[in-house]
Amino acid sequence: MQRLPDTSLTIALASGGREHFGWGVERHMTADLYDALNQNTRASGQWGKKGAPKIPEYPRPKSKAKDNGPKKARSVADIYKVFSRR
C-alpha cells in the first residue's frame, strides 16, 4: 500500500469510504484554493448596504463515521471486506 496513488479506491476506503475516491492532494488543494478566492472576494468587495453575497463552499466528501476520538487503524482484511462489498 505504500506506492498506491492517493486517488486510488484502496486509499479512499482507508480514508473513510467510497465518497473519498478520486480525492487526492491536488483535488483538496484545488478546493481549498477555490474557497480562499471566494473568501477574498467577499472580504475585498464593495457590496454596499446589502452586504457580501453568500458564496457556497466547494463540495467535499463527507465522512459517514462520527469523530469520536482518534481513528482506529484498519487492517488489510477490513479494507478488503469493504472493497469487495457490492
Side-chain angles (χ1 to χ4, degrees):
M1 281 192 31
Q2 292 178 352
R3 295 191 181 191
L4 288 175
D6 57 354
T7 56
S8 69
L9 184 58
T10 304
I11 299 296
L13 293 174
S15 297
R18 289 184 184 268
E19 62 274 359
H20 294 276
F21 180 62
W23 277 83
V25 173
E26 293 88 9
R27 192 149 180 201
H28 282 286
M29 293 289 287
T30 303
D32 291 340
L33 181 64
Y34 177 85
D35 291 339
L37 287 171
N38 284 338
Q39 288 297 325
N40 187 35
T41 301
R42 292 188 76 219
S44 63
Q46 297 178 357
W47 305 107
K49 292 182 180 180
K50 289 185 176 182
K54 175 66 177 149
I55 303 172
E57 291 184 351
Y58 195 87
R60 290 178 169 82
K62 303 287 188 231
S63 180
K64 294 178 185 177
K66 295 180 182 178
D67 291 333
N68 294 338
K71 282 187 173 181
K72 179 183 173 190
R74 288 188 174 188
S75 67
V76 175
D78 293 337
I79 294 173
Y80 181 77
K81 285 178 189 175
V82 175
F83 185 71
S84 62
R85 270 191 303 189
R86 290 198 179 221

